[in-house]
Amino acid sequence: MKQFPKEFLWGGAIAANQAEGAYLTEGKGLNIVDVMPNGLMGKADKEIDPQKYYPSHDAIDFYHRYEADLALMEEMGFQVFRTSIAWSRIFPNGEESEPNEAGLLFYEKLFTEIKKRGMEPLVTISHYETPLALNKKYNGWESRKLVPLFEKYCRVIFNRYKNQVKYWLVFNEMNNINHSPYVAAGTSVENCSEKERLQKIYQASHHMFVANALANKICHEIIPDAKIGCMLSLSAIYPNTCKPDDVFETLEARRRSLFFSDVMLRGKYPKYLNRLFKEQDIHVKKEAEDAALLKAHPSEYIGFSYYRSTTHVAGSGYAGHTGGVLGTPNPYLEVTPWGWAIDAKGLRYVCNELYDRYEKPVFIVENGMGNIDKITEDGLIHDDYRIDYLKKHLIEVAEAIEDGVEVMGYTYWGPIDIVSAGTGEMKKRYGFIYVDKDNEGRGTLNRIRKDSFYWYQEVIQSQGASLFNEA
Ligand code: BGP
């Protein structure tokens, strides 16, 4: 392949809570990550502790700087820009009868600016941003009460942005509920037994499935030409050896993630889950009409994040993290300073895996390299490692397209340095654009183009052809 298909969308992705800052500006309420000083791998405080530094509170001040930042995205030639709406800007406590006009207006202006600069907004409706009040009052999605509240929020944003936003994603990385239910679903599981934890996770998941189906339904009613998808964290997982136990357990481990897309894309619960529910004695409460709703309103595409791969050894556990699970290291792969294995072919593998399973379009809505960037004496950032990572991954995307996979596009995570979701660090930088800010919140917030900025610009300009020229 010499070029990517004409309709392939190139761009980048961020999330409101990791970029906007302005955490209480113009009526915004707290969301669940606003009380997490060390990211989702750390602990959530019950209240804001005035002695602590919370990176999401100011982040990179995208709230006030989005025009200049989007000008840089335009300069790279982005055709799509993914971000999220912070639910608590629209409904600060999740339960108000009327939405917060200032919050609605902010996103209206943001989407206007995105479109003015030649990009399509790709909007995540809930990216780890459940209003904190809904965690405190209902324990988040464990309660069915959240379904109508989310439905109301969806109606408001679909109506308001129907002429601006065509591409939507409902819940970011819903499968991360397996290891981070607080962040993915606003559901706290402290001091729970394993059985109780699983019970809460699957109950919350069910409510989110119902909400996802409703969001799909309402979206199509209000915006007939919209495309609305689900979103999962799907870094790859391989058996560590050809030992049949390793292979079968890897299949089971993958199902713990694919269960979510199985329900949302196929519109029904898969049979393999019955065994897990029986063995763990899990009883999910469902309403009589739920099955028909799920069936009638499946997601039409699957957005996913891919950062790395890991391996599984039968009988061993693995840690959950942003970007997927971490199991046994793969001796064939190098790792980033955060221990994330670099595996470009894994991206082709996952594209094929998903397309084989669902035969629905896939959208790579997160992929990128978090690394330590240094400003050299010339005042610039020569991030060859990022270019190398990206080049290898994009070549594998081209291979996946050749394999027959319908890939809607690619939004690099995150085109500008932002707060790390996993650890709350600024030091873990993904951007093509450097932001002068450190882990303690010091810095001028100045933006500097890295070498990768110009490199990605050329890739987009040539519709991917430059990848092959260099090869
Ligand atoms: C995904 C999240 C993003 C994100 C990314 C990178 O799981 O959807 O919000 O930040 O991972 O993770 P991190 O920031 O921890 O490096």
Side-chain angles (χ1 to χ4, degrees):
M1 186 160 93
K2 293 279 176 288
Q3 269 193 329
F4 279 62
K6 265 206 313 290
E7 56 286 357
F8 186 88
L9 291 165
W10 298 93
I14 60 168
N17 73 88
Q18 292 170 257
E20 287 174 6
Y23 81 114
L24 292 177
T25 302
E26 295 181 297
K28 177 179 167 292
L30 291 177
N31 62 46
I32 47 179
V33 294
D34 285 332
V35 290
M36 302 192 91
N38 304 112
L40 66 94
M41 303 316 295
K43 283 202 161 40
D45 291 329
K46 290 275 167 253
E47 307 291 337
I48 288 178
D49 177 347
Q51 306 304 317
K52 287 189 189 166
Y53 170 64
Y54 294 86
S56 74
H57 291 188
D58 300 315
I60 61 158
D61 198 28
F62 183 72
Y63 192 85
H64 297 108
R65 294 166 188 252
Y66 68 83
E67 290 185 12
D69 289 342
L70 290 170
L72 291 166
M73 308 301 162
E74 181 185 24
E75 199 180 319
M76 280 186 278
F78 281 20
Q79 297 147 356
V80 58
F81 185 74
R82 175 180 175 224
T83 189
S84 59
I85 295 177
W87 184 354
S88 67
R89 281 200 197 284
I90 312 302
F91 288 101
N93 287 318
E95 291 197 282
E96 291 80 357
S97 52
E98 292 303 318
N100 172 31
E101 175 55 29
L104 285 170
L105 192 61
F106 167 71
Y107 289 107
E108 187 180 314
K109 289 197 270 186
L110 177 69
F111 300 146
T112 303
E113 192 67 23
I114 293 172
K115 290 192 80 97
K116 193 177 103 192
R117 296 189 176 279
M119 296 172 255
E120 284 294 333
L122 165 61
V123 175
T124 317
I125 300 173
S126 182
H127 192 129
Y128 305 153
E129 287 144 353
T130 306
L132 183 63
L134 297 181
N135 161 262
K136 293 194 172 166
K137 193 158 168 196
Y138 299 118
N139 204 20
W141 284 97
E142 187 188 354
S143 164
R144 190 150 182 135
K145 288 263 174 30
L146 265 73
V147 174
L149 296 174
F150 188 75
E151 186 183 343
K152 184 162 81 172
Y153 163 52
C154 286
R155 272 187 201 285
V156 166
I157 59 174
F158 293 149
N159 272 313
R160 181 71 170 230
Y161 308 123
K162 62 179 174 222
N163 297 321
Q164 296 185 291
V165 182
K166 184 171 160 200
Y167 296 98
W168 298 88
L169 291 163
V170 184
F171 295 111
N172 183 64
E173 296 186 326
M174 188 179 158
N175 55 322
N176 280 353
I177 196 172
N178 283 328
H179 56 78
S180 303
Y182 172 79
V183 178
T187 299
S188 306
V189 292
E190 284 128 44
N191 310 320
C192 286
S193 67
E194 182 56 10
K195 176 176 158 16
E196 288 163 347
R197 199 183 73 87
L198 289 174
Q199 176 66 41
K200 284 181 195 293
I201 287 173
Y202 284 105
Q203 187 63 63
S205 300
H206 182 71
H207 295 147
M208 292 169 87
F209 291 145
V210 171
N212 179 70
L214 282 168
N216 295 341
K217 173 176 183 283
I218 303 164
C219 183
H220 285 129
E221 281 164 10
I222 300 177
I223 322 173
D225 66 336
K227 296 212 177 303
I228 182 160
C230 60
M231 195 299 195
L232 262 63
S233 162
L234 287 174
S235 290
I237 174 160
Y238 307 138
N240 187 263
T241 70
C242 51
K243 191 174 156 199
D245 285 346
D246 287 354
V247 175
F248 194 78
E249 272 197 20
T250 303
L251 172 86
E252 290 184 308
R254 194 59 165 169
R255 279 177 171 167
R256 295 280 155 89
S257 281
L258 293 178
F259 154 63
F260 298 90
S261 41
D262 284 352
V263 176
M264 291 187 283
L265 290 159
R266 292 173 171 158
K268 59 176 193 210
Y269 275 65
K271 291 228 169 74
Y272 59 77
L273 210 74
N274 296 343
R275 179 165 188 175
L276 180 101
F277 281 4
K278 203 164 127 203
E279 287 178 358
Q280 304 282 348
D281 196 22
I282 294 165
H283 301 276
V284 174
K285 275 191 233 111
K286 299 177 183 167
E287 300 291 329
E289 67 274 17
D290 292 354
L293 186 78
L294 300 188
K295 189 86 208 149
H297 305 287
S299 307
E300 58 193 299
Y301 71 93
I302 176 164
F304 69 100
S305 63
Y306 176 89
Y307 289 91
R308 56 170 192 261
S309 64
T310 193
T311 82
H312 182 72
V313 173
S316 66
Y318 33 71
H321 202 294
T322 45
V325 290
L326 286 169
T328 305
N330 184 333
Y332 299 100
L333 300 175
E334 288 177 9
V335 297
T336 70
W338 275 265
W340 291 20
I342 301 169
D343 178 12
K345 185 148 278 173
L347 179 53
R348 176 180 177 188
Y349 176 88
V350 174
C351 286
N352 276 280
E353 177 190 33
L354 296 177
Y355 199 65
D356 280 358
R357 198 173 179 107
Y358 303 120
E359 291 187 325
K360 288 194 180 180
V362 306
F363 202 148
I364 303 158
V365 296
E366 284 186 34
N367 171 242
M369 176 187 240
N371 216 322
I372 297 166
D373 291 333
K374 292 226 161 61
I375 304 186
T376 44
E377 275 170 21
D378 54 9
L380 299 173
I381 298 103
H382 303 296
D383 55 343
D384 309 353
Y385 36 88
R386 185 166 292 109
I387 293 173
D388 188 57
Y389 176 101
L390 189 51
K391 179 176 165 188
K392 289 182 173 142
H393 283 75
L394 287 174
I395 287 174
E396 294 298 337
V397 176
E399 292 291 344
I401 294 171
E402 286 285 281
D403 293 335
V405 181
E406 248 181 286
V407 187
M408 293 167 69
Y410 177 90
T411 54
Y412 178 86
W413 183 273
I416 182 165
D417 295 345
I418 52 177
V419 174
S420 156
T423 61
E425 293 166 288
M426 272 305 295
K427 194 169 114 190
K428 189 179 188 187
R429 297 175 181 278
Y430 285 86
F432 303 131
I433 301 156
Y434 184 91
V435 175
D436 179 26
K437 186 167 182 182
D438 68 13
N439 281 354
E440 284 73 43
R442 294 169 304 216
T444 60
L445 287 177
N446 282 347
R447 277 53 169 163
I448 306 170
R449 296 168 186 80
K450 305 179 194 176
D451 286 359
S452 53
F453 180 100
Y454 301 103
W455 184 87
Y456 193 47
Q457 182 183 53
E458 199 190 338
V459 171
I460 299 176
Q461 229 161 43
S462 65
Q463 196 64 14
S466 62
L467 290 166
F468 307 100
N469 298 342
E470 287 174 27

